[in-house]
Amino acid sequence: MQAGDVKLGAIFFDNHRYEIPMFQRPYVWGQERNWLPLWNDIAAAADGVVGNMLTGDWPEEPPTYFLGAIVVKATPSHPQRLGGSILVDGQQRLTTLQVMLAAARSVATELGANSAAGRFDAWVENDQKAVHEKWPDDKYKLWPLPQDRPQYLWAVRRPDDQEPCPDGAHRISEARLWFEDAIRDWATCDGDPSDRLDALHSALETRIALVRITLEKTDNAQVIFEALNHRGVELSQSDLVKNLLFRLVEDQGERHLAESLLVDHWLPLDSRQWRAETVTGRIKRSRLDQVIAYWLTARTGEVVSVERLFDDFKAWLLARGLKATEVIKEIRRYADLYDQLVTDPPDEATAALVDLVIAT
């Protein structure tokens, strides 16, 4: 493993493709907790550049604003594809930054800041001349999960693309509109918008940094992912279960099945319906956490608490050496059955039993 800080300009400058793997959760960042603090740091860095432009006083070591960490692992080389990296961790952050850069490109185009628009463009899309005709999606610096893809492609569309938004309630769609408003307000609040947008690009290139952790071939991405996230608030127990299962799909030699397993079986379980929180006593848990805990209880014959779901699931799964593809399909079948019993129980006795189980 290699770790070091790197300026944002170096992250997005080269022709490179960051791929969000199937084991990751969908995009979940929001305004108050994520977009606003991120933008406040970026705007502060840009304000510093504006001040230096006005005074002509350029510090030898300008302040650096760190936006967190990403963990990457190189994808296998392919003669017709651009070099790329798997985003083991940090996909929420890099997705947000790409949406923000696309919004900045759009605002710069709108305000006639052509120089800034061109520079932002180079950070959102790879050089078209370097993209092979057989792999047109390589033009994007970041490639999202299937469930986020329509909204993401709309959010990073070119300024002259008038395609309607596919889902205005999706977090990525909301992020695009939010950053567009924030950047426009900042660019037009004082002075020449073109100068301010040049300053914004300069700040992003030279004063905004990330910690980049690069994994070697022998590094265990699953262990590192758990160490970084298992104690965090952001990831649910079912997020960790999903991560483990889709990592095992790859480790068991079935990577070619990963996208179909996600789209055909797990994708509905990433929906708002299953991520909605339920409350039992004072404990909050997602509906999917609860259902997987019920499923594992039925499989093991021992009561599994939601709080220990991932640890118990991991121990059980690895001890039995099961195929991850079959476990994914089984969890989906169980979740569908659970949903059917809750929404349309066959009789009053079953409805009463379901209500009792949910209450406990």
Side-chain angles (χ1 to χ4, degrees):
M1 186 194 322
Q2 299 177 359
D5 59 273
V6 59
K7 294 296 193 297
L8 191 62
I11 294 286
F12 294 131
F13 179 74
D14 292 330
N15 288 322
H16 194 86
R17 185 173 186 263
Y18 293 95
E19 179 182 341
I20 299 178
M22 299 300 160
F23 62 74
Q24 295 286 14
R25 59 184 169 170
Y27 187 78
V28 297
W29 271 21
Q31 176 182 335
E32 292 300 323
R33 189 170 182 177
N34 309 113
W35 307 336
L36 183 58
L38 178 72
W39 172 245
N40 284 343
D41 283 345
I42 292 171
D47 285 336
V49 176
V50 170
N52 296 143
M53 290 172 70
L54 292 174
T55 63
D57 182 18
W58 295 96
E60 291 186 8
E61 296 185 9
T64 299
Y65 295 78
F66 282 91
L67 301 183
I70 61 172
V71 181
V72 300
K73 191 170 186 176
T75 56
S77 61
H78 188 290
Q80 295 176 328
R81 304 207 67 177
L82 296 181
S85 300
I86 296 290
L87 271 172
V88 176
D89 195 53
Q91 83 280 9
Q92 304 283 331
R93 184 170 288 104
L94 244 59
T95 300
T96 304
L97 286 168
Q98 276 293 295
V99 171
M100 185 212 70
L101 290 167
R105 175 179 64 179
S106 180
V107 171
T109 301
E110 171 192 327
L111 298 178
N114 297 326
S115 173
R119 294 175 185 178
F120 287 126
D121 183 73
W123 284 8
V124 178
E125 297 182 10
N126 292 309
D127 185 350
Q128 192 62 42
K129 295 179 181 178
V131 176
H132 197 282
E133 60 183 9
K134 292 183 178 180
W135 304 97
D137 295 336
D138 276 7
K139 77 174 185 177
Y140 298 102
K141 297 284 185 179
L142 182 141
W143 193 243
L145 293 172
Q147 60 265 52
D148 290 333
R149 208 165 287 164
Q151 291 76 27
Y152 178 81
L153 294 179
W154 175 83
V156 301
R157 71 197 187 282
R158 299 191 66 80
D160 58 355
D161 188 341
Q162 300 302 313
E163 183 75 19
C165 179
D167 181 2
H170 194 283
R171 287 287 181 87
I172 289 181
S173 305
E174 293 177 343
R176 167 58 195 255
L177 297 175
W178 188 88
F179 277 108
E180 200 168 307
D181 288 342
I183 294 169
R184 185 185 296 107
D185 289 346
W186 180 87
T188 58
C189 71
D190 183 28
D192 184 348
S194 292
D195 289 345
R196 291 180 65 82
L197 287 164
D198 286 338
L200 175 60
H201 181 274
S202 177
L204 288 166
E205 183 176 30
T206 63
R207 302 190 184 188
I208 299 296
L210 294 165
V211 175
R212 181 169 60 190
I213 302 171
T214 304
L215 304 186
E216 306 292 345
K217 291 182 179 179
T218 56
D219 290 329
N220 190 317
Q222 173 67 26
V223 171
I224 292 169
F225 178 86
E226 290 173 24
L228 289 169
N229 292 284
H230 191 14
R231 296 178 180 84
V233 177
E234 291 286 338
L235 288 171
S236 68
Q237 294 289 304
S238 53
D239 284 328
L240 291 165
V241 166
K242 173 190 173 185
N243 175 275
L244 175 61
L245 284 169
F246 278 88
R247 286 296 307 173
L248 284 175
V249 168
E250 295 192 11
D251 293 345
Q252 292 172 349
E254 296 185 319
R255 183 180 183 184
H256 60 288
L257 299 177
E259 182 157 348
S260 64
L261 285 166
L262 179 67
V263 172
D264 297 336
H265 298 283
W266 197 278
L267 190 57
L269 304 183
D270 272 334
S271 67
R272 300 183 189 105
Q273 170 194 351
W274 287 103
R275 287 183 169 272
E277 287 188 337
T278 61
V279 180
T280 303
R282 296 182 179 179
I283 301 174
K284 291 184 178 180
R285 72 280 301 270
S286 76
R287 190 165 179 249
L288 184 57
D289 285 356
Q290 194 172 32
V291 168
I292 295 178
Y294 292 157
W295 169 82
L296 189 58
T297 296
R299 280 294 245 127
T300 62
E302 299 179 2
V303 175
V304 175
S305 70
V306 173
E307 290 69 30
R308 286 191 49 81
L309 172 59
F310 175 67
D311 290 331
D312 290 347
F313 176 85
K314 181 179 179 182
W316 172 82
L317 181 66
L318 298 183
R320 282 157 181 78
L322 300 174
K323 296 288 285 185
T325 53
E326 297 307 315
V327 175
I328 290 168
K329 294 175 183 178
E330 185 175 330
I331 289 175
R332 171 63 190 280
R333 288 194 297 267
Y334 187 93
D336 287 345
L337 175 60
Y338 173 90
D339 192 48
Q340 181 181 351
L341 289 173
V342 169
T343 57
D344 187 22
D347 52 55
E348 291 186 6
T350 302
L353 179 60
V354 170
D355 289 341
L356 178 62
V357 171
I358 293 174
T360 57

